[in-house]
Amino acid sequence: MPQNEHIELFQKRYGFRMDYQERQRKKKAREHKLQSKMAQKLIGIKGKIFAKKRYSEKVQLKRTIKAHEEKKTRKKDEGKVPEGAMPAYLLDRENTSQAKLLSSMVKQKRKEKAGKWDVPLPKVRAQSEAEVFRVLKTGKSRRKGWKRLVTKVCFVGEGFTRKPPKYERFVRPMALRFKKAHVTHPELKATFCLPIVGVKKNPSSPMYTSLGVITKGTIIEVNVSELGLVTQGGKVVWGKYAQVTNNPENDGCINAILLV
Amino acid sequence: MSLYNFKKIVIVPTAKDFIDIVLSKTQRKTPTVVHKQYKISRIRQFYMRKVKFSQQTFHDKLSTILTDFPKLDDIHPFYADLMNVLYDKDHYKLALGQINIALHLIDNVSKDYVRLLKYGDSLYRCKQLKKAALGRMATIMKRQAQSLQYLEQVRQHLSRLPSIDPNTRTLLICGFPNVGKSSFINKITRADVEVQPYAFTTKSLFVGHTDHRYLRWQVVDTPGILDHPLENRNTIEMQAIAALAHLRAAILYVMDISEQCGHTIEQQVALFESIKPLFANKPLLVVLNKTDVIRLEELKPEQKTLIQGFINDDIPVMEMSTLSEEGVMAVKTEACERLLAHRIEVKIKSKKVEGILNRLHVAVPKPRDGVVRPAFVPENVIKQRLTKEPKPKKKTERDLEVELEDDYSLDLKKNYDLPADFKYDVIPEFWEGKNIADYIDPDIMAKLEELEREEELRIESGVYDKEEEEMDDEEKEIHRLASKIREKKAIIAIESRIGRSGGAPVMPRAGRKRERSVSRLRSEFEELGVDMSNKSGAHFSRTKSRSASRPPIKKARADSTGRVSSSSRVTPRDQSGIRNVELKAKAKKMGHKAQGKMNQFGKAGEADRHIAVKMPRHLYSGKRGIGKTDRR
């Protein structure tokens, strides 16, 4: 025992009080009263935090109780048949796989006709110009209102230089320019922080696409060389499309799903 | 200067608690109410403040953690080595590095989101951005949960380390497990180290303090060391090795010659040889313990030669037994002396000594002649010493207790110097409001009589007679006058008190009769008996009145004595203080000018601020834009 542990040393040498165990047991038995008092008395933000904590504790409690109860009951054993098992008299038959193959080919052709992009978010709310642009008053007496300030997140690309300030119509502030996006691979369920190459299409308007405005539902092209994907021919894939899934101006970051 | 007090490190909370603390602090210390109809700049400021405040709080708490934990490069190598053994230097540095990274990440997050908040154009958007910012900071802290937990454990252990000062005089005790190191330290210091029959009872370093030659000595007890190479050593043994390596102390290598510890003497000597490099430059002492079981002479010759080997190497060997306590003090004294000599030697060799030695001079008195003058010892004492008669031992209470066993009871009153029937009396403490202890004195009656006699003598000799002072005429006169003055003063005081009472209206200053006048002076002095008729050498005279033109006085004016005089008149206020006619005219003009405005507005006085017409039409109508309209 280290030199400074006086309490433990005393306990080792002289033991505990005669009623120590009894008192510990009784104290533990009284704990529920304290909890209920707190639950009733706490108000305001503390009350909310306490209620949340207590709720998660109760959920855990209920789960363990249910797990214990499961052991006691007996389940009826249904005669389970594994998938794809066929009775003996059907074994030699040829199934209707061919027909299925044909119908799937038809479906594929239809899809190709409809459109190349089958995206995770097919429909998005269109953004009006009033939402995306804010009028910027310029001029000596702040009378001229032909300039617009972009209020949404945008991407400008490397080597971007502004037009001379006197002539630029759309002002894209530096704070709202993003270069990286958090892209999730839908199958791997892993998220990577990948650099953006460009904005492919903004569903609200082609003007937004040309400006590089990124809103929810925009298709962007990201640099996936980090993932190390390789094509069938052996070439390295370095760019893929992804669709933005959040409102970047509200969250301060761009979250997207990779379109595989 | 390194820090040996590791108890002042701030508590490291768990990740969850950390986040809770900071977020609840943000909620309490920043304004909480904002509405969407406020100006957008106000909304933005509100949310930016919250983000910045959270960042500041995180930053402050993390940086205190980083500064409080000791840097392994800044502390004494003994502590650095000990911490490496106990907590693993790499893990420790990594944990602190992670906290540092988290600090910078949080700062960056805050910067980014404050930049974004500047472009928030609605309450909803600003609120979402603030939520995102605080959420990101919280996730950064959640990832540090492991590091924080580790650092809290390190802090708790560190604050419980024994406070060993690496620079002071230290005795270090080492040897195999179970040889009697902890028993030894228990004997010479007050450190209560556990002593048990199993090996590795002592699992960490223990410190005790002892005194020798009026100096304080530190005694450090180490866990036992086994004989295997350094790589195979476990944490407990490594602590002992760290102490041996870095503390400049006298080493006491304890051996068990009765072999009760489970290791033979050959093994113990082998261990000594293997850790010999650690003993370089340190005074060394080999101590043979448990001599109550077997003495050095009774050992087998092979073992004796091994021990002889030590003596041949100039390493002193001493015997002791911690059970019977023989030789323990001798060992301690020897070790202390050796260490002291060593330290003095080192100090002499260092450069600082030159400066001190030049200033030191030990003066020895020159012998006057060749006569030897030894200490004087009476003959009886010499005889006694030679015969070595033991003094008759007094019977102590303890001996009595041992004799009587159960029948013994402590009786402190049995040796009292009183007659037998008074010895066991109960004495009260107070009597009639006085402490009895104040009056306890065997010859109190004799003292009282003596005092009374002395007092009588004094009274007879006239020490207490009051002297009748003989005053001469001058003094008598002075006394009389003084009493008169006192009387008069009292009368004046009473009169003024009477005069002040009552709500009688007071005449203004100009209307009051003249108080100070020559006639009054005359009358009062004559009352007192002074001769005032002679005017030639007098310093008082009738004052000239100060008014420039004195109109002829038509009324009969009387002053306090009833005499009519022509000079009793107070200068009116509009004439006092004016030197000449021009000034008077100017003053009059100024007065009229000031009065004019007040008259125009019908003011009752200077303090009248009433405005009859707030907006007079003639001032507020008309096409003139620029320029005041009180002039047309």
Side-chain angles (χ1 to χ4, degrees), chain B residues 3 14 19 109 114 195 218 237 248 313 359 480 532 571:
Chain B
L3 166 100
T14 61
I19 297 170
V109 161
V114 164
V195 175
Q218 226 176 212
E237 292 173 332
R248 288 166 46 236
D313 283 336
R359 286 182 265 158
R480 194 180 62 82
M532 296 295 280
T571 54

Side-chain angles (χ1 to χ4, degrees), chain A residues 1-5 9 12-13 45 53 131 134 149 151-152 173 175-176 178 182 249-253, chain B residues 7 27 44 113 115-116 119 121 124-125 128-129 132 136 159-162 191-192 194 204 206-207:
Chain A
M1 191 171 293
Q3 196 169 14
N4 293 17
E5 287 183 4
L9 193 64
K12 192 168 177 191
R13 284 193 181 158
I45 188 80
K53 202 162 55 142
E131 275 181 303
R134 201 200 312 168
L149 178 80
T151 59
K152 305 281 178 187
L176 292 173
F178 278 68
H182 305 295
E249 69 275 1
N250 284 351
D251 296 331
C253 56
Chain B
K7 301 184 203 284
Q27 199 245 345
R44 275 190 207 140
Y113 277 87
R115 249 207 318 251
L116 272 169
Y119 292 96
D121 47 4
Y124 177 73
R125 192 158 148 188
Q128 294 296 94
L129 282 170
R136 265 182 119 158
S159 68
R160 296 209 185 133
L161 285 181
D192 225 348
E194 257 194 277
S204 64
F206 279 80
V207 166

Side-chain angles (χ1 to χ4, degrees), chain B residues 262-439:
Chain B
H263 304 275
T264 62
I265 293 187
E266 288 85 8
Q267 287 175 331
Q268 295 183 38
V269 175
L271 171 68
F272 180 86
E273 294 300 324
S274 66
I275 59 174
K276 205 161 175 175
L278 289 169
F279 298 157
N281 290 348
K282 295 182 187 141
L284 178 59
L285 194 65
V286 170
V287 179
L288 307 174
N289 198 12
K290 304 197 189 170
T291 52
D292 53 312
V293 178
I294 184 169
R295 303 200 67 87
L296 180 57
E297 297 85 37
E298 296 160 24
L299 280 178
K300 285 184 251 171
E302 309 91 52
Q303 295 166 335
K304 264 206 207 153
T305 46
L306 285 169
I307 309 260
Q308 194 65 28
F310 284 136
I311 302 176
N312 295 346
D313 283 336
D314 272 339
I315 301 167
V317 174
M318 299 187 72
E319 295 182 25
M320 75 171 183
S321 168
T322 49
L323 193 62
S324 62
E325 287 191 50
E326 56 166 307
V328 168
M329 278 299 143
V331 168
K332 172 192 140 193
T333 320
E334 178 70 21
C336 291
E337 289 296 322
R338 286 194 166 254
L339 181 62
L340 207 54
H342 177 82
R343 277 172 80 96
I344 291 170
E345 217 182 285
V346 169
K347 280 201 183 131
I348 287 174
K349 284 196 201 136
S350 77
K351 289 193 189 153
K352 283 196 250 174
V353 184
E354 297 289 313
I356 302 171
L357 274 180
N358 289 339
R359 286 182 265 158
L360 281 179
H361 171 67
V362 180
V364 176
K366 207 168 67 169
R368 208 169 18 159
D369 45 24
V371 176
V372 174
R373 295 182 177 84
F376 175 69
V377 182
E379 277 198 37
N380 280 346
V381 177
I382 296 177
K383 253 193 242 164
Q384 220 176 30
R385 274 197 209 158
L386 288 172
T387 54
K388 275 243 171 166
E389 235 179 56
K391 267 202 291 189
K393 224 173 154 199
K394 198 170 140 185
K395 195 170 194 190
T396 60
E397 288 291 320
R398 175 71 183 149
D399 293 336
L400 204 58
E401 188 182 344
V402 163
E403 224 182 86
L404 294 173
E405 272 180 53
D406 269 344
D407 307 330
Y408 174 75
S409 71
L410 180 64
D411 187 11
L412 290 168
K413 293 190 181 180
K414 68 180 173 199
N415 290 333
Y416 276 10
D417 216 4
L418 292 168
D421 35 342
F422 292 158
K423 250 198 244 183
Y424 293 99
D425 280 356
V426 174
I427 306 171
E429 286 183 33
F430 312 110
W431 178 256
E432 291 194 348
K434 300 195 204 289
N435 289 335
I436 286 182
D438 291 344
Y439 293 88

Side-chain angles (χ1 to χ4, degrees), chain A residues 38-196:
Chain A
M38 296 280 257
Q40 284 170 28
K41 283 211 167 173
L42 285 176
I43 55 171
I45 188 80
K46 287 202 181 134
K48 285 190 202 166
I49 292 172
F50 182 84
K52 192 165 174 195
K53 202 162 55 142
R54 188 73 187 134
Y55 176 73
S56 55
E57 278 173 24
K58 280 195 176 169
V59 160
Q60 286 299 327
L61 220 64
K62 285 191 183 155
R63 259 195 216 150
T64 47
I65 292 172
K66 210 164 188 189
H68 284 305
E69 281 183 353
E70 256 181 43
K71 269 200 277 181
K72 291 188 208 154
T73 60
R74 278 218 218 130
K75 261 208 192 137
K76 227 177 23 173
D77 188 30
E78 300 139 20
K80 273 213 167 142
V81 183
E83 283 281 330
M86 282 199 292
Y89 48 85
L90 281 178
L91 268 174
D92 282 335
R93 300 252 178 117
E94 269 183 22
N95 40 16
T96 55
S97 50
Q98 243 180 350
K100 267 201 180 149
L101 195 68
L102 267 172
S103 81
S104 66
M105 270 170 62
V106 166
K107 276 188 192 160
Q108 186 90 333
K109 278 223 178 104
R110 266 196 226 142
K111 239 200 248 178
E112 278 177 28
K113 261 200 239 163
K116 288 232 164 117
W117 308 107
D118 179 21
V119 286
L121 300 176
K123 278 203 210 141
V124 233
R125 193 175 75 86
Q127 313 267 0
S128 70
E129 278 207 12
E131 275 181 303
V132 179
F133 299 129
R134 201 200 312 168
V135 181
L136 205 60
K137 287 222 190 292
T138 52
K140 203 172 180 188
S141 47
R142 298 281 182 282
R143 261 191 286 201
K144 306 193 194 177
W146 52 270
K147 283 203 182 190
R148 295 285 181 274
L149 178 80
V150 175
T151 59
K152 305 281 178 187
V153 160
C154 42
F155 171 76
V156 289
E158 249 179 77
F160 169 78
T161 32
R162 298 160 62 190
K163 282 218 289 238
K166 188 164 178 184
Y167 300 113
E168 71 178 337
R169 205 180 310 174
F170 294 104
V171 179
R172 282 165 281 188
M174 274 186 75
L176 292 173
R177 294 185 204 162
F178 278 68
K179 287 189 236 179
K180 289 200 160 198
H182 305 295
V183 183
T184 316
H185 196 290
E187 268 129 55
L188 299 174
K189 305 277 187 220
T191 314
F192 309 94
C193 192
L194 304 171
I196 305 176

